[in-house]
Amino acid sequence: IEGRSRYVFFTPDMDLDVRSREETYRELRLALADCDRQLEVHYQPIWSLEKNRMVGVEALLRWQHPEQGLVAPGDFIRSAEETGLITVLGEWVLRRAVQDARAWPDLRVAVNVSPIQLRSRKFVDIVRELLQGGISAERLELELTETALMAASGDVADALADLRQLGVCCALDDFGTGYSSLSHIRDIAVDRIKIDRSFVNAVDTVPGAALVEAIVGLARANGLRLTAEGVETPDQLAFLQRVGCHEVQGYLFSRPVAADAISRMLARPSGG
Ligand code: C2E
Ligand code: CA
Ligand code: CA
Ligand code: CA
């Protein structure tokens, strides 16, 4: 990949997507070289409905592009995955999140992990190193998508097994958007399910509410913890509380914010 990026020639008939992917790749490499200025990790509070306080945060990458301003991860994670840069980018996020989490001993920190990162043996080594550096395994959570878990053959399966052996928590992100049916819940090797925002959004409809209630019931019956994502309204919150969801996350509580804002929230008497 390295060599390829140095000499890229664009011909007029070249696919626009290809061009912009190369461009993103080049700029992301510059961003990594200038990470103190261009990259930042924001944190979104995760709120426990049992404890009525903030119990964790999800780390979300932010790119302050020198010309384009703030670029959303949705616009560059895919191209970082396609070019392999996600391995370096993901390692940077993980290290930063663990570093920032030192200031919040009572919080769990959840980090998004691309399946491509899991293919590299180095990933488990990095996690092991970070655990030796002081963060306890139960405070670190890795968010994986179904694609990652489904592709859990060979290297990825080994990595997952090693991570769980280390005691790190694994969450299935965006639950419901992939291929797995409800009946798969009992086979999934994770500690937690994150119910996708699209489902939370639909709880004001009869089928939507029934679906979320079924997910919560089945997950609980299988000993899984549940976090609902994208909670925006008091009605959604009341519903999730009633059906027994453990934790919630969404704009109703807070948008993703910079690390120092999390520290300020914790300093408030309400603890969040
Ligand atoms: P995700 O993991 O599903 O993260 C949740 C996304 O939903 C975040 O978008 C968050 O800002 C947004 N969100 C949270 N609460 C609400 C809400 O109440 N309403 C609405 N409309 N949105 C809400 P964000 O930060 O733009 O991230 C988008 C995606 O990019 C993430 O989805 C994740 O898949 C990926 N991503 C972000 N950071 C990383 C990273 O460090 N590594 C990897 N591999 N992927 C990342
Ligand atoms: Ca996530
Ligand atoms: Ca998600
Ligand atoms: Ca998502």
Side-chain angles (χ1 to χ4, degrees), residues 58 112 143 173-175 194-197 229:
E58 176 175 359
N112 291 287
E143 296 196 359
D173 205 354
D174 303 339
F175 182 79
K194 297 195 77 173
I195 305 174
D196 191 69
R197 183 169 89 226
E229 304 188 289

Side-chain angles (χ1 to χ4, degrees), residues 141-169:
E141 186 160 87
L142 304 176
E143 296 196 359
L144 309 156
T145 57
E146 243 164 90
T147 330
L149 293 169
M150 295 305 233
S153 62
D155 293 349
V156 175
D158 288 350
L160 279 173
D162 289 353
L163 289 167
R164 302 199 82 213
Q165 186 78 44
L166 289 172
V168 168
C169 307

Side-chain angles (χ1 to χ4, degrees), residues 44 58-62 72-74 77 86 93 112-114 117 143 173-174 197 229-232 250-251 256:
Q44 187 175 36
E58 176 175 359
L60 294 158
L61 184 57
R62 296 292 178 259
I77 292 287
I86 192 70
V93 174
N112 291 287
V113 177
S114 159
Q117 288 175 267
E143 296 196 359
D173 205 354
D174 303 339
R197 183 169 89 226
E229 304 188 289
V231 179
E232 293 180 349
Y251 293 171

